[in-house]
Amino acid sequence: MKKQKIRPISILRCAWLSIWIFLVICSIGAMIYVFVEKEYNLIHCLGLIFSFIGLLLGNIIIILDMKKGIEFDDKSLKVAADVADKKGLLIRRFQYKTEVEYSKIEKIILVATNKNSLGQKVNNVFVQMPYIVFICKEGCEKAINVYYFSNRQKIKIINEVKRRAKAEGNNLEIESGEILWEKFYLDNK
């Protein structure tokens, strides 16, 4: 089977991208205004500096956010770790690097929690996020945060794992992604 990567598409990411585009346009407009009008008072210079810093930080965040996604290889699925600062004060890490071999999956469940993918409590987080949890044959659990994925993508991820596990000789006796997601949604309204 060929490699495949599913990148998150959700309303939250679209809203974030729209805000970023608006800020880029405002920053460029502020820069053009200062250079065309040649008014270099303190307020204009500070606005120009903050516009440039905001534009730079926005670009860095968007580029780092683009690497989010679930990669399906021949033998396993892989998820990269979220970008976060060292102490987790500004940007918290919810997803840690995860790799799950299809042949070792025993069961797939969906859970909603305010913990990270390692099951650790995250301070000051009150929103419960959905995770796809893979229970492996050796008893370990590996979770993938699917908060930024659309419902259709969550279903596609489950069905793709089930299909690839079957190709590896692991015939998972689980329901389809549609049924699992519907049950999860009804339980967590």
Side-chain angles (χ1 to χ4, degrees):
M1 287 186 204
K2 67 178 186 172
K3 286 186 178 184
Q4 180 183 2
K5 187 159 190 172
I6 299 176
R7 296 189 188 280
I9 300 172
S10 69
I11 293 172
L12 292 173
R13 285 177 59 103
C14 292
W16 169 243
L17 188 60
S18 300
I19 291 168
W20 177 76
I21 289 170
F22 174 75
L23 291 175
V24 166
I25 292 169
C26 290
S27 298
I28 292 171
M31 289 179 203
I32 290 171
Y33 175 78
V34 168
F35 289 121
V36 168
E37 295 295 323
K38 297 192 186 326
E39 290 185 31
Y40 298 113
N41 61 27
L42 180 63
I43 293 173
H44 288 124
C45 290
L46 286 176
L48 190 64
I49 290 168
F50 286 123
S51 293
F52 182 73
I53 290 170
L55 190 62
L56 183 66
L57 289 175
N59 286 334
I60 290 170
I61 289 171
I62 289 290
I63 290 169
L64 292 175
D65 197 46
M66 293 294 282
K67 80 174 200 173
K68 283 187 179 184
I70 300 173
E71 185 177 324
F72 294 95
D73 284 342
D74 291 336
K75 304 279 183 197
S76 63
L77 71 92
K78 298 173 187 169
V79 180
D82 287 343
V83 175
D85 59 284
K86 290 188 179 186
K87 294 185 180 182
L89 299 174
L90 297 174
I91 303 172
R92 294 183 183 96
R93 179 172 289 159
F94 293 102
Q95 180 63 53
Y96 286 84
K97 184 178 180 179
T98 305
E99 183 173 354
V100 182
E101 292 182 31
Y102 306 123
S103 61
K104 295 184 179 180
I105 299 172
E106 188 173 291
K107 189 175 180 183
I108 299 174
I109 59 172
L110 297 165
V111 297
T113 182
N114 54 3
K115 297 180 179 181
N116 63 25
S117 65
L118 298 177
Q120 301 164 338
K121 186 174 180 349
V122 181
N123 294 330
N124 302 321
V125 175
F126 306 106
V127 175
Q128 291 199 342
M129 293 175 282
Y131 284 86
I132 297 175
V133 180
F134 301 97
I135 300 172
C136 298
K137 292 179 180 174
E138 59 262 1
C140 69
E141 294 182 3
K142 297 184 180 187
I144 296 176
N145 185 324
V146 290
Y147 184 71
Y148 292 105
F149 291 87
S150 69
N151 291 345
R152 192 175 300 156
Q153 286 181 309
K154 293 168 189 167
I155 292 167
K156 183 178 179 180
I157 291 165
I158 295 168
N159 289 337
E160 185 67 21
V161 169
K162 188 175 176 181
R163 186 175 71 82
R164 288 181 182 253
K166 187 174 184 178
E168 284 292 309
N170 183 3
N171 194 10
L172 292 173
E173 297 296 326
I174 62 168
E175 296 166 322
S176 68
E178 292 86 357
I179 295 171
L180 282 174
W181 183 251
E182 186 178 330
K183 286 180 180 179
F184 172 77
Y185 182 75
L186 292 174
D187 290 343
N188 292 290
K189 269 191 186 179

